[in-house]
Every structure is written in C-alpha cells, then in structure tokens.
Amino acid sequence: MQVEAVEAAGAAGAVAPLAAALLGALLGSFLNVCIVRLPLDQSVVRPRSRCPRCHNQIAWYDNIPVLSWLWLRARCRHCGQPISIQYPLIELAVAALWALAFRWYGLSLDALTAALFATILLGIAVTDARHMLIPNEYTWGGAPLGILLSLRGGYRGLLVSAVGAAVGFLLLYGIAWAGEKIFKEEAMGGGDIKMMTMVGAFVGWKGVLLTLFGGALLGTIVFIPLTVRRKRLVPFGVFLAAAAAFTFVFGDAVYRWYQTFLM
Ligand SMILES: [Zn+2]
C-alpha cells in the first residue's frame, strides 16, 4: 500500500506540472486579451477574438495557444497581416510559470496561489511597460482573490493577508502623499497604490516591505539611469512585479536570514 501511495504521489508530481502548463497556456491566451483590451477599457469577454487589423473573427482552431501562431506562420488567415510575437510569448511565459509553480510547491493550494499571483503580476508588468498604467482589474480584482486564497493558511493566513493589504495601501498612499508635498508633482500613480494593496494580500506586511525594497533597488539599478537621460517616467510596476514574485517564493528565507543577521 505504502509503495503504491508513493508511486501515485510520484505520478501526480510528474503530471501536475504538465497539466498546469496546458492550463497556463490557455490562461496566457486570455491574459493576451486582457493586455490588449483592459488599457482601452474594453470588455475582455465580448466581442470574441478578432484580428486587430482586418477585424475578422478568429476561429477556435486559429486561436490555440502557441500552435496556431506557428501553424499560421505568424500571419492572419484573412488579411495576411503579421500577428505579433507577443501572443505566443505571453502564452509560453504563463505556461512556464504555472508548470514551475506546481513543480516547486507540488499539487497544492500554494502552487495555485503562486501561479495565479504570477499571472496577475505578468499582466501588470507588460501593461505598465507598454502603457504606463496598471488596470484596476489586476489590482482591485486581485486583492480579494489574494485574501480568499490566504484562507489556505487558516485564520492566521487570513489575518496576515488582510493586514498586508492594509499596509500596502496605507504605506504607498503615504509615500505618494509625501512625494507630492516634497516634489510638488505626482511621484507615484494611483495604480502603484492599488497594486501594492493586491501584493500585500498575497505576501503580507513583511512582504510589502521586501517588495518595495526590492522594487526600489531594481528600479535604481536598471531604470533610473535610463529615465534621467530620456526624461521618461518610470513604469515602477514592472520592478514591483519582479520583486513581488521574488518575495512570494523567497520571502520567508529572507526574513529568517535577516533575523539571524540582527542577532
Ligand atoms: Zn486579419
């Protein structure tokens, strides 16, 4: 019996990442729709997928993640205009994130939480990089999802999540307020405040601090030199997203290290 149980667990361990990758590819296809439509305030449900150039509806067999793009050789079946490589890349990225989450955490609610969180963060990062904005669907939509999933940790998990969301909101609101007083211009957008509320719901208040620290560090190293030269605003959400993903996976290890470091 025991051997059988171990074998069954082993099989689930091997099959789960594969099934997660397939589900991830489908979700990646939906995330593409969100990335294109949400900044334009369009519905992500209706109308059905259309070619952005000739507006012909895309048949289901031309809408299969990654494969259709390859099969159609990156061109629309109707008008022959090129289809952006962003579509298969996002699908592959989300598939990889889902496979990785279920490989890392096994078949568990932790894996589901990690995969959903990563998908939301990817949507935020791509949209912020392209349009300098973070749609509410990811943030105000993601925050209740994070709180709901925190119930996997029982009452304590729920408390950590709710406090995390509150700290994320208040801290970023405070920074934005202080920035405006000091620099006399908007230093941080409302999108960043809502984003950190959502992030807090997933990683707790310690995670909010680590994400902010990591995001600021990344932003300083990578982007400030570019920004100063180009005089362009920083899409801070990109760095916060990377730091939030790191925090979700490695946060506990970092807090432990920090505690021993202090003592
Ligand atoms: Zn077309």
Side-chain angles (χ1 to χ4, degrees):
M1 273 307 274
Q2 261 189 339
V3 174
E4 274 169 29
V6 169
E7 273 175 3
V15 171
L18 195 66
L22 289 176
L23 184 61
L26 290 173
L27 272 170
S29 185
F30 178 64
L31 188 64
N32 273 319
V33 177
C34 295
I35 286 169
V36 171
R37 292 190 187 175
L38 290 181
L40 304 172
D41 272 329
Q42 292 172 346
S43 160
V44 293
V45 195
R46 271 159 216 257
R48 295 207 25 218
S49 294
R50 282 162 198 279
C51 168
R53 297 175 202 270
C54 68
H55 303 289
N56 270 301
Q57 193 169 305
I58 300 168
W60 67 267
Y61 49 81
D62 284 343
N63 211 1
I64 297 164
V66 185
L67 297 180
S68 286
W69 188 84
L70 292 171
W71 171 247
L72 290 167
R73 289 191 213 145
R75 292 189 180 279
C76 170
R77 184 187 288 280
H78 301 285
C79 65
Q81 295 283 316
I83 306 167
S84 168
I85 194 171
Q86 186 188 307
Y87 291 95
L89 282 184
I90 295 282
E91 286 154 3
L92 278 176
V94 179
L97 287 170
W98 276 68
L100 218 59
F102 279 84
R103 185 94 191 84
W104 187 270
Y105 294 105
L107 190 56
S108 64
L109 281 175
D110 280 345
L112 181 68
T113 306
L116 286 170
F117 189 40
T119 307
I120 293 171
L121 291 174
L122 183 66
I124 287 176
V126 174
T127 309
D128 200 25
R130 282 177 47 157
H131 302 284
M132 300 290 304
L133 66 89
I134 302 174
N136 288 341
E137 284 80 357
Y138 298 117
T139 55
W140 279 166
L145 186 67
I147 291 174
L148 184 72
L149 287 161
S150 76
L151 285 168
R152 74 192 190 282
Y155 173 71
R156 211 193 99 78
L158 181 65
L159 190 69
V160 168
S161 172
V163 171
V167 168
F169 179 83
L170 292 172
L171 193 60
L172 269 281
Y173 191 87
I175 292 172
W177 181 82
E180 234 176 278
K181 285 271 169 231
I182 296 165
F183 299 112
K184 304 274 179 235
E185 59 181 297
E186 201 179 329
M188 194 166 295
D192 295 313
I193 301 172
K194 295 173 204 164
M195 177 185 178
M196 287 309 294
T197 309
M198 183 277 292
V199 168
F202 276 92
V203 298
W205 69 268
K206 282 189 214 162
V208 167
L209 298 183
L210 184 58
T211 300
L212 272 184
F213 177 76
L217 195 68
L218 271 178
T220 309
I221 294 169
V222 180
F223 222 84
I224 300 291
L226 285 173
T227 306
V228 169
R229 246 189 313 158
R230 284 208 239 143
K231 288 205 178 280
R232 183 167 166 264
L233 265 161
V234 184
F236 198 39
V238 177
F239 304 105
L240 288 177
F246 174 86
T247 298
F248 186 92
V249 181
F250 300 108
D252 286 337
V254 174
Y255 314 142
R256 270 198 303 275
W257 171 81
Y258 188 65
Q259 262 178 339
T260 43
F261 175 76
L262 284 184
M263 289 188 290

